[in-house]
Amino acid sequence: MNSGKETSMKYIFFAAACVSVGAVVLICIFMFANGVPAMAKIGFGKFLFGLKWKPDLDLYGIFPMIMGSIAVTSGAIILGVPAGILTAVFMARFCPRQIYSALKSGVELLAGIPSVVYGFFGLTAIVPLIGRIGGGSGTSILAASMVLAIMILPTIIGVSEAAIRAVPSGYYEGSLALGACKERSVFFAVLPAARSGIVAGVILGVGRAVGETMAVIMVAGNQAVMPRGIFKGVRTLTANIVLEMGYAAGLHREALIATAVVLFFFILIINLIFMLAKNHAD
């Protein structure tokens, strides 16, 4: 009887795995079947490295959006990753028990806030502040980077804290026994042992930053031009798709699907870089 149940569950789990893999395969087939021919019509060089996106003139250059995505994601990494890792270190090794529960609940609450709420916060709080500091409307690379940095914090903190807590206590105690102080033991004995898990947390956080759309649309300025400074507006690949897909037709629609193909490769490259870093850390 138990053997029959185990066999049934095995096939159920296998079917669920096949559905998940099949969904990914179907999405890839749809994107490539519609996007690659559009790139061929436009010209791969003109599409990837063209500087003008003007569908009404049949100009479909997405290089400004590629650079905009890189700029916004890089800013989110610079601002969010150090803050997330240091917060995880504090929560795992230095946080008093009296405030740990409240701090943990706050981090988990950040993870559950919808992206549109983050965008509204950025639009009403961060954008006016940047406008007063840097001039202009305030919708900019810096505003988008700050909002995304806040959004990726829960992922980085949660995974990094779990990785730090998973390190055997002998690493920390051995460092103390050799005469190192608490801070030095944490940063030079515990963190190196947890770096694989920390890198995994960073990968997940960056993946969310690259794929975020709604919050970026609200604070980035949505200007299809090359980045000209952190106080200037840009348009990302995701924003370009969402803003125009509702009314696009013909080659314009196909070009947007081709943009999704480029975004797909963009995310793959970022994940590959971080996975290589993770394997190097192991």
Side-chain angles (χ1 to χ4, degrees), residues 22-110:
V24 174
V25 172
L26 289 175
I27 291 172
C28 291
I29 291 174
F30 171 79
M31 287 196 306
F32 283 92
N34 290 274
V36 174
M39 292 186 194
K41 291 179 186 177
I42 299 168
F44 288 96
K46 291 181 179 179
F47 181 72
L48 294 175
F49 302 106
L51 300 179
K52 293 184 179 180
W53 178 269
K54 295 183 178 180
D56 53 331
L57 300 177
D58 284 337
L59 295 175
Y60 301 100
I62 65 167
F63 193 65
M65 277 74 82
I66 293 175
M67 296 306 298
S69 295
I70 293 174
V72 170
T73 303
S74 299
I77 293 173
I78 293 171
L79 296 174
V81 171
I85 294 175
L86 291 176
T87 302
V89 171
F90 173 76
M91 292 179 64
R93 292 291 179 175
F94 298 99
C95 184
R97 292 183 179 180
Q98 295 84 350
I99 66 171
Y100 178 81
S101 297
L103 187 58
K104 184 69 174 179
S105 299
V107 172
E108 293 174 350
L109 179 61
L110 282 176

Side-chain angles (χ1 to χ4, degrees), residues 11 42 49 64 82 94 101 108 133 148 152 165 168 185 187 191 255 258 269:
Y11 285 116
I42 299 168
F49 302 106
F94 298 99
S101 297
E108 293 174 350
I133 295 174
L148 287 181
I152 67 177
R165 291 187 180 276
S185 297
F187 282 97
L191 284 189
I269 291 172

Side-chain angles (χ1 to χ4, degrees), residues 9-27:
M9 293 307 298
K10 176 182 177 181
Y11 285 116
I12 290 173
F13 292 145
F14 177 74
C18 289
V19 170
S20 301
V21 175
V24 174
V25 172
L26 289 175
I27 291 172

Side-chain angles (χ1 to χ4, degrees), residues 16 29-30 63 82 110 115 196 199 203 214 219 259:
I29 291 174
F30 171 79
F63 193 65
L110 282 176
S115 59
S196 178
V199 171
I203 293 173
M214 185 56 65
V219 300
T259 303

